[in-house]
Every structure is written in C-alpha cells, then in structure tokens.
Amino acid sequence: QVQVVESGGGLVQAGGSLRLSCTASGSIVRIEAMGWYRQAPGRQRELVATITSSGWTNYAQSVEGRFSISRDNAQNTVYLQMNSLKPEDTGVYYCNADRVVTTARVQLTVWGQGTLVTVSS
C-alpha cells in the first residue's frame, strides 16, 4: 500500500511565498511522475505542475515563472515553491504520485488528502 501526505499549506498575503511538500511512503520501487494539482471553490481540479523521475517539468501557464517544482527521488518527496502568490492561487492543493511501481509489481496512481492554500488580497 502506498500513501501520499502533503504539508505546508496556510494563509499568506498576496505577493508572499509558500512551500509545499509531499512525501510518498509504502512498498515503493519507483515513482515515474509526481505533481501538484489544485481545486478552487466551485471549480474543477487542475494541473499546477508535474515532474518526472528524470527531472522533466511541466507547468500550468498561470503559474509559469512564479512556481517551481522539485523532487528528491531518494526520499520520494516532491516540493512546490510558490512565489508572488495571487488571490486566484487560493485552493486545495493535492499531491499526485503517478505510475508508482510497488514491490508487488503493481502500478498505481495515488492522491494525497490535500492542503489548503489561502491567498488574501
């Protein structure tokens, strides 16, 4: 079984910064991709940023240049550094571990419970 736990959310003023962390644990052999998604009230969940095990990154256009995703493969941990935050960045941020290969040679996609980010104007 694999679990993903996020941390680092909170309340910040517009223009401020936050750093989110997410660690996957369990019977993991490797994780191909990890990423962050967010869901604002009344809206669908959307991609924020993803990173592969080889370090290839992908960002939503709305966060390009302000957010930075990084990863520690040895610790199965992914980070999201968020700078120049805007009120429209408010939402629940979910960590995703995709194409997780376990010791049982099962491939999984796992989501965290989410962490709330609130940006005040």
Side-chain angles (χ1 to χ4, degrees):
Q1 191 170 359
V2 176
Q3 291 185 321
V4 169
V5 178
E6 306 101 332
S7 63
L11 173 64
V12 64
Q13 287 189 329
S17 298
L18 279 176
R19 189 187 193 216
L20 305 182
S21 300
C22 166
T23 298
S25 61
S27 303
I28 299 169
V29 173
R30 70 176 181 273
I31 305 174
E32 174 54 31
M34 298 186 77
W36 292 93
Y37 293 72
R38 68 186 179 191
Q39 187 166 16
R43 301 188 64 177
Q44 289 189 330
R45 190 175 299 189
E46 63 178 3
L47 179 145
V48 176
T50 59
I51 184 168
T52 67
S53 58
S54 58
W56 185 86
T57 59
N58 181 43
Y59 294 92
Q61 192 172 8
S62 60
V63 306
E64 190 92 50
R66 299 187 297 122
F67 291 10
S68 178
I69 190 169
S70 60
R71 178 172 172 175
D72 182 338
N73 289 330
Q75 300 297 323
N76 292 321
T77 297
V78 64
Y79 305 96
L80 185 68
Q81 177 66 42
M82 305 186 293
N83 299 326
S84 302
L85 282 160
K86 304 175 181 180
E88 51 263 43
D89 294 317
T90 294
V92 178
Y93 282 67
Y94 297 91
C95 179
N96 170 266
D98 191 32
R99 287 164 282 163
V100 180
V101 179
T102 70
T103 54
R105 291 295 185 258
V106 174
Q107 195 169 83
L108 305 171
T109 295
V110 185
W111 290 90
Q113 293 296 310
T115 184
L116 178 63
V117 172
T118 304
V119 184
S120 62
S121 57

